[in-house]
Amino acid sequence: MNYKGVIFDLDGVICFTDKYHYQAWKKMADDIGVYFDEKINNRLRGVSRMASLDIILERSEKLYTQVEKDILADQKNELYKKLLHQMTPADLSDEVKSTMDELKNRGCRLALGSSSKNAKLILERLGLGEYFDAVSDGTNITHSKPNPEVFLKAAEFLDLDPKDCLVVEDAIAGIDAALAGGFHSAGIGEAAVHEKVDYSLHTFADLLSI
Ligand code: B16
Ligand code: MG
């Protein structure tokens, strides 16, 4: 690994909170009578909370004011946070933890680069509260992916140049953000087939072969 820093996305890379996002958005959509399914949920990967709500409301006949949208997003987030309390350190896979440990042993500095405003709560639930050298998340950005802000902040917090950092992402919008910021990228899941991704990962541990 020739990178001084590795910046990890959270949902879809380090852990799988998408099922909780789905349950919480589904309850909100059912409550207001708007159709929502797993396929629409896939479009929400890496997308901020308000942008996610706008995607869900594409199916709504009613137009919502900003105040109404804020209330809906809050309702969803309260339920989502309740669901997150089901998470424990057992939700962190041995493969993810041992791969990150090995990268640290090799002298890489590790950061988080997540769109989520709940990232610190999720890290606590996974037992990773103090693990990363830097955490950049939805609380320190104004533009969400594909804007590179979250990764640029992560590099700044690590005191490293983007060209010296590798971004690990599961979302197409995340790879686009990495490219826009001048980072090299590794894609997993649907991001592995992004046409401009530098490394396609079949498993998380493949990072050790880069
Ligand atoms: P929150 P990531 C993203 O996390 C999720 O993939 C996306 O579905 C969610 O809407 C977004 O965080 C915001 O989350 O409502 O908790 O602020 O993949 O960037 O780690
Ligand atoms: Mg993700």
Side-chain angles (χ1 to χ4, degrees):
M1 165 83 60
N2 283 324
Y3 298 98
K4 293 179 185 163
V6 184
I7 303 172
F8 296 93
D9 174 53
L10 183 60
D11 176 28
V13 172
I14 289 183
C15 64
F16 298 90
T17 38
D18 49 352
K19 58 178 184 281
Y20 301 126
H21 279 297
Y22 177 71
Q23 286 175 45
W25 282 129
K26 178 73 178 149
K27 163 89 172 61
M28 185 217 75
D30 285 351
D31 285 350
I32 59 171
V34 170
Y35 179 80
F36 181 62
D37 63 17
E38 305 247 7
K39 201 168 157 227
I40 301 170
N41 193 54
N42 271 337
R43 289 174 58 203
L44 312 183
R45 278 180 210 287
V47 174
S48 72
R49 195 180 309 159
M50 286 315 284
S52 296
L53 178 59
D54 284 333
I55 290 172
I56 293 169
L57 293 180
E58 284 171 8
R59 297 266 184 157
S60 168
E61 281 164 20
K62 172 175 154 60
L63 281 179
Y64 287 84
T65 63
Q66 191 55 50
V67 173
E68 288 170 326
K69 287 203 278 186
D70 288 345
I71 292 169
L72 290 176
D74 279 352
Q75 285 170 351
K76 180 266 175 181
N77 194 48
E78 286 310 308
L79 176 55
Y80 176 62
K81 283 196 292 187
K82 263 188 209 141
L83 294 169
L84 286 180
H85 282 90
Q86 294 174 18
M87 288 183 98
T88 72
D91 287 295
L92 178 66
S93 78
D94 289 342
E95 182 193 1
V96 167
K97 182 65 170 44
S98 60
T99 301
M100 294 196 301
D101 285 347
E102 178 56 21
L103 290 171
K104 273 194 175 185
N105 285 340
R106 294 182 188 180
C108 284
R109 306 194 61 214
L110 308 188
L112 194 80
S114 166
S115 305
S116 176
K117 291 191 162 95
N118 295 300
K120 291 191 180 79
L121 168 62
I122 296 167
L123 291 180
E124 291 290 336
R125 300 302 307 167
L126 294 174
L128 292 175
E130 302 296 321
Y131 187 78
F132 290 93
D133 297 299
V135 172
S136 172
D137 63 20
T139 63
N140 61 255
I141 56 169
T142 46
H143 306 290
S144 81
K145 303 165 190 175
N147 187 292
E149 187 180 11
V150 73
F151 298 136
L152 290 172
K153 283 277 175 209
E156 186 187 317
F157 295 159
L158 287 176
D159 207 13
L160 291 174
D161 218 71
K163 67 172 173 22
D164 293 322
C165 299
L166 180 72
V167 166
V168 187
E169 256 291 347
D170 71 310
I172 301 292
I175 300 293
D176 288 337
L179 280 165
F183 297 87
H184 282 167
S185 63
I188 197 159
E190 70 166 10
V193 295
H194 190 293
E195 56 178 6
K196 290 190 178 151
V197 77
D198 295 292
Y199 308 96
S200 295
L201 306 177
H202 294 289
T203 66
F204 191 91
D206 285 348
L207 277 174
L208 298 177
S209 314
I210 290 177

